[in-house]
Amino acid sequence: MHKKLDGKNFIDQITRYGYFAEQFPDCFSSESFADNLNNLLPLISLRKAQKNTTAPTTLSTYKNDISRRVLSVSNPEAFLRLSKYMRDNWDEIVNASKSTHSLSPITFIRSYNSSEEMINCESIREKLKAKSDFVEGIKSCIRTSLGYKYRLKVDITNCYNSFYTHSITWAICGKDLAKSYFRTKEPVSIQSKYEMGDCLDSFIRQQKNNETNGIIVGPYTSRIISEIILARIDQLMSDKGLKFKRYVDDYKMYFRSEAQAQESLPVIEKVLNEFNLTLNTSKTEIEKYPYEIISQIKDSYENSKRVDGVFGVLNTAAQLHSKGEKGAYKYALKYLKDEPIPIDDLQIIIPTLVNIMLLDPRYGKYVTKYLKKNITRIRTDTLSLVINRELGCSLQSELQQETLMFVQLIKDLDLTISADNMINIMRSDNDFAIIIALDIWNNHNKSVLRTKHEARLINESIKALMHSLNGEKLSGARWLLLYELHIHKFVSDDLLPPVDKNDFFKKMLELQISFYNA
């Protein structure tokens, strides 16, 4: 029996699993936020004309060796306002986001003993240990490619950052109809659709200083908005006779000749331009059949483990990664999660794991979990030196995600942290790392390697940080740090920066809702 995702289940799921992006360490969680929805939702007004806009807390994350991506954690009040509106209009939103071309729908069916519809985000899939739909996606592409010898791969330049929020109404109503209704309030038949798009536009902008250029990357609400816009673009491309499948903003298009693939590029660009979007030409690629191939990755790892154990699996993952298998390291770390590291291989495995983290910090949480299970086999003093060195380099290069990853690893593995690194974290603008470092200093003081002089310098850096927060607001970009300071009392009351709290945040504090698990 299929249990359909409805508005009530949606708001619990999106608040519990769709608030923090998967790249954030597990110590940042929205569980208590979701647990208290019944107390918070009555405080949320859905009036569109909200004067008070908010700013998200941001984290610069790894995208590739040249560029970074900014992930955001939206103000909880603004997030809940948008989520509440989505809940109240859930059926209409599902219809607006549907596309037969999409491999990234906003919901998925979890089929075990019974079928249950869930929001389609990575966090909930991992929590439920739900089967990946990657192979099914490849099979769907193979079916679509029947009779087409060439595949064109394209994606959109800075997709989320390029979305024009007013185009939400264009996507829901059709661009010409939406513009006509904006000018003349005709045709009346699209009034309810237009008003829904207009409200989504308004509540999206409230998460980002009321800006119309771009939507924040991170919360699953943004993925829903992206599917609404891209579903309309899918329809326009299909109307042009194009055969394709899309995963978020990555398109795979199929043609009978290479010339046809080349000739389609101006057509694709024109459709995207209607929504103020452009092609990322650096990622445009034409391939000749066979192009949709399912890798036998599990068999490769099992064979490698039989011959060379843990090192063999990681070495095979390296080979697959170098050949373009994007998920090779992530799958390897999941595959090895219960496999002990042989004592004789520690001097090879530890550098390999650290380098995997540096290659792509998204793997950091999997490496941390694996090291934690093997911590009794590892010389923690040696590991502390290695991690502190890499943390220092990340701080110096202002690599926020890498800094956060190493600070979290230090806390999770109960390693020591140097005084210099503590001080430099307090001087950084990485609020996520600051929260963890304050927790270490406040609750795990013996984990900090320092002299009396260095302890004084650490305390002075904390005082300077608290002073710099004076005047910051809970509606501003440093809301998370301010809020967690008041929840966890990481500093004494005389150092705690004062903040004006509206009814929503007063209720949050009263309920002791926290986004950080100390």
Side-chain angles (χ1 to χ4, degrees):
M1 184 177 177
H2 176 201
K3 182 181 176 183
K4 189 175 183 294
L5 179 62
D6 60 19
K8 182 180 178 181
N9 292 332
F10 161 76
I11 201 162
D12 178 78
Q13 287 185 28
I14 201 163
T15 308
R16 197 175 299 277
Y17 303 110
Y19 188 61
F20 285 99
E22 62 167 317
Q23 289 90 334
F24 288 98
D26 293 340
C27 62
F28 291 100
S29 166
S30 54
E31 289 284 338
S32 68
F33 186 35
D35 287 342
N36 286 280
L37 281 173
N38 289 340
N39 295 303
L40 295 173
L41 284 171
L43 300 174
I44 299 295
S45 168
L46 292 182
R47 287 176 299 174
K48 191 179 70 171
Q50 294 286 334
K51 293 182 180 178
N52 296 324
T53 61
T54 66
T57 295
T58 60
L59 181 77
S60 170
T61 65
Y62 176 87
K63 184 177 181 182
N64 53 51
D65 290 339
I66 299 172
S67 59
R68 310 281 293 180
R69 175 184 285 113
V70 175
L71 286 182
S72 296
V73 178
S74 59
N75 179 285
E77 187 175 12
F79 176 86
L80 210 51
R81 182 175 294 115
L82 176 59
S83 299
K84 185 177 181 179
Y85 187 79
M86 286 182 167
R87 179 200 68 179
D88 292 352
N89 296 273
W90 181 238
D91 289 341
E92 292 81 0
I93 284 170
V94 169
N95 287 332
S97 67
K98 280 182 180 175
S99 169
T100 58
H101 302 279
S102 176
L103 300 174
S104 51
I106 63 174
T107 68
F108 78 101
I109 308 299
R110 182 193 184 208
S111 299
Y112 288 89
N113 296 328
S114 62
S115 296
E116 186 175 3
E117 198 167 355
M118 320 291 288
I119 61 168
N120 191 22
C121 71
E122 189 69 21
S123 298
I124 196 169
R125 282 184 174 277
E126 290 210 355
K127 182 79 172 179
L128 300 173
K129 297 181 180 177
K131 184 180 178 182
S132 169
D133 59 354
F134 176 76
V135 171
E136 285 305 312
I138 295 292
K139 289 179 178 179
S140 179
C141 289
I142 291 171
R143 288 192 291 269
T144 303
S145 70
L146 174 64
Y148 298 98
K149 195 175 0 178
Y150 290 87
R151 181 182 74 178
L152 170 66
K153 290 177 69 176
V154 296
D155 80 349
I156 298 169
T157 304
N158 294 323
C159 185
Y160 280 42
N161 294 321
S162 299
F163 280 138
Y164 178 53
T165 64
H166 294 341
S167 69
I168 297 170
T169 57
W170 304 351
I172 291 173
C173 304
K175 185 174 181 178
D176 291 340
L177 285 175
K179 288 198 163 191
S180 173
Y181 184 83
F182 176 74
R183 291 191 308 269
T184 66
K185 298 298 178 274
E186 294 287 344
V188 176
S189 59
I190 69 162
Q191 180 179 354
S192 62
K193 285 186 175 182
Y194 184 91
E195 288 175 352
M196 183 181 80
D198 197 36
C199 284
L200 288 173
D201 173 11
S202 177
F203 296 149
I204 278 283
R205 284 187 282 112
Q206 283 178 29
Q207 293 184 325
K208 191 187 173 191
N209 294 314
N210 210 30
E211 295 174 15
T212 59
N213 186 33
I215 62 176
I216 62 175
V217 181
Y220 194 73
T221 47
S222 295
R223 269 279 293 110
I224 292 173
I225 295 298
S226 76
E227 279 296 314
I228 289 173
I229 295 172
L230 293 169
R232 174 63 69 170
I233 291 173
D234 287 352
Q235 181 182 326
L236 296 175
M237 288 192 180
S238 183
D239 291 345
K240 299 289 185 182
L242 296 168
K243 303 292 182 183
F244 64 95
K245 287 292 179 181
R246 170 182 59 78
Y247 184 84
V248 191
D249 64 328
D250 293 323
Y251 289 84
K252 293 178 179 179
M253 299 188 165
Y254 302 98
F255 300 90
R256 297 191 182 278
S257 70
E258 186 173 3
Q260 286 179 342
Q262 291 281 4
E263 290 164 3
S264 74
L265 287 169
V267 177
I268 297 166
E269 186 86 51
K270 185 176 180 180
V271 172
L272 293 177
N273 288 167
E274 287 188 42
F275 282 78
N276 297 347
L277 301 171
T278 59
L279 274 179
N280 186 347
T281 54
S282 66
K283 289 189 176 181
T284 300
E285 182 181 3
I286 298 175
E287 296 172 280
K288 189 176 181 180
Y289 187 85
Y291 34 67
E292 303 292 359
I293 300 170
I294 299 172
S295 170
Q296 299 300 313
I297 191 168
K298 185 177 180 181
D299 292 341
S300 299
Y301 289 160
E302 287 179 350
N303 292 333
S304 299
K305 190 174 78 170
R306 278 195 297 270
V307 177
D308 291 312
V310 173
F311 173 73
V313 173
L314 293 176
N315 188 56
T316 298
Q319 294 171 0
L320 291 169
H321 178 84
S322 67
K323 292 177 181 178
E325 190 77 48
K326 290 183 179 180
Y329 278 124
K330 181 178 177 180
Y331 191 95
L333 292 165
K334 286 185 172 184
Y335 179 80
L336 291 170
K337 64 184 176 67
D338 296 320
E339 194 71 24
I341 301 175
I343 298 294
D344 293 343
D345 284 348
L346 280 172
Q347 291 186 340
I348 300 172
I349 302 300
I350 298 300
T352 302
L353 292 172
V354 173
N355 282 343
I356 290 172
M357 294 169 76
L358 290 169
L359 176 70
D360 191 333
R362 285 177 298 181
Y363 306 139
K365 65 167 64 178
Y366 304 104
V367 172
T368 299
K369 288 177 183 177
Y370 188 48
L371 288 174
K372 195 170 185 177
K373 283 195 173 183
N374 286 274
I375 195 64
T376 56
R377 298 167 171 264
I378 301 169
R379 285 194 57 181
T380 54
D381 56 342
T382 303
L383 184 59
S384 292
L385 287 173
V386 171
I387 299 304
N388 271 278
R389 183 188 66 210
E390 298 305 325
L391 172 57
C393 291
S394 297
L395 282 162
Q396 186 175 6
S397 301
E398 299 184 24
L399 302 176
Q400 290 190 339
Q401 186 182 18
E402 291 82 344
T403 295
L404 175 59
M405 174 181 67
F406 287 123
V407 176
Q408 177 61 21
L409 190 149
I410 285 170
K411 180 176 178 287
D412 272 3
L413 273 56
D414 201 22
L415 305 178
T416 54
I417 183 171
S418 71
D420 282 346
N421 281 337
M422 279 290 296
I423 291 166
N424 286 329
I425 289 170
M426 296 306 152
R427 291 173 177 171
S428 74
D429 57 355
N430 188 338
D431 286 354
F432 301 94
I434 289 170
I435 288 169
I436 298 174
L438 285 170
D439 181 20
I440 292 172
W441 184 241
N442 195 56
N443 297 312
H444 309 272
N445 196 278
K446 293 180 180 178
S447 297
V448 185
L449 283 173
R450 83 282 189 203
T451 63
K452 287 185 178 180
H453 173 67
E454 288 172 329
R456 188 173 69 252
L457 292 177
I458 292 170
N459 282 323
E460 287 175 359
S461 69
I462 293 172
K463 287 180 183 177
L465 170 63
M466 296 304 114
H467 180 73
S468 72
L469 292 173
N470 285 326
E472 294 284 349
K473 298 180 179 180
L474 287 170
S475 60
R478 307 202 77 174
W479 75 264
L480 181 64
L481 176 57
L482 285 172
Y483 181 77
E484 296 301 326
L485 282 169
H486 282 263
I487 282 289
H488 293 287
K489 306 293 184 183
F490 289 137
V491 297
S492 58
D493 288 343
D494 61 309
L495 287 178
L496 201 62
V499 289
D500 291 329
K501 298 177 280 291
N502 63 10
D503 290 342
F504 181 83
F505 276 101
K506 284 177 182 176
K507 178 60 73 173
M508 292 257 292
L509 288 165
E510 176 191 321
L511 295 168
Q512 286 293 287
I513 295 169
S514 177
F515 297 96
Y516 172 70
N517 300 321

